[in-house]
Amino acid sequence: MLDIHQILKQLPHRYPFLLVDRVLEVEKGKRIRALKNVTINEPFFTGHFPHRPVMPGVLILEAMAQAAALLAFDTLGVTPDDKTVYYFAGIDGARFKRPVEPGDQLVMDVTLDRMKSGIFKFKGTTRVGEDIACEAELMCTMRTIA
């Protein structure tokens, strides 16, 4: 389990782009369960949509990718430094099953399918309560920058 202080040491993201509030479970090399509390104070709600606030799907995918990054770092036993960046390499089969609204709590379950040549492939499912909000396969890679 990781709290927000431990997450901030692992991920380079900061407000308004840090989208993981807590890690509930990690099984090294296998899976992670993390959560994001969605509040009306999120900056994207002012424009998406003023009459009916909905969390953008790309940000749900980004939240899953951030959880995946935490799993990758735990799997490798590394803490990234200022020279390490974790990028999306691909997204397949993204499906959005229900809107995510203010007051929802996103629970992200991400499993590591494979790790080969520096490319990680994950399967992610995000739920609100018992309902699936989003499912996708994510491919990510770590790069060292100058």
Side-chain angles (χ1 to χ4, degrees):
M1 188 158 124
L2 301 175
D3 65 21
I4 191 64
H5 306 289
Q6 295 160 307
I7 292 167
L8 287 166
K9 289 177 185 167
Q10 294 282 314
L11 294 178
H13 308 79
R14 294 296 177 263
Y15 177 84
F17 231 75
L18 180 62
L19 299 172
V20 177
D21 291 326
R22 180 174 300 257
V23 173
L24 303 172
E25 302 169 29
V26 180
E27 195 176 338
K28 190 181 193 91
K30 294 192 176 171
R31 63 179 196 86
I32 190 168
R33 173 173 280 174
L35 70 84
K36 160 78 177 133
N37 293 306
V38 181
T39 72
I40 191 63
N41 299 321
E42 308 284 352
F44 47 80
F45 283 139
T46 55
H48 197 270
F49 299 97
H51 60 285
R52 178 68 186 219
V54 175
M55 184 175 185
V58 293
L59 293 181
I60 299 169
L61 293 169
E62 174 64 26
M64 278 197 285
Q66 290 179 19
L70 292 166
L71 176 57
F73 301 151
D74 184 73
T75 298
L76 296 173
V78 300
T79 299
D81 57 28
D82 290 345
K83 294 181 176 64
T84 306
V85 181
Y86 196 76
Y87 289 119
F88 261 132
I91 303 168
D92 291 320
R95 296 289 178 267
F96 301 96
K97 309 283 188 169
R98 90 183 274 294
V100 175
E101 301 171 314
D104 286 346
Q105 186 175 69
L106 290 181
V107 177
M108 299 164 281
D109 286 298
V110 179
T111 56
L112 177 60
D113 274 359
R114 72 173 180 266
M115 184 173 55
K116 185 178 175 188
S117 305
I119 304 279
F120 295 81
K121 189 163 185 183
F122 303 94
K123 273 202 178 80
T125 302
T126 298
R127 289 182 177 79
V128 174
E130 297 297 312
D131 299 332
I132 293 174
C134 177
E135 296 175 307
E137 292 178 8
L138 312 171
M139 286 171 287
C140 303
T141 186
M142 257 183 277
R143 293 285 180 251
T144 303
I145 54 174

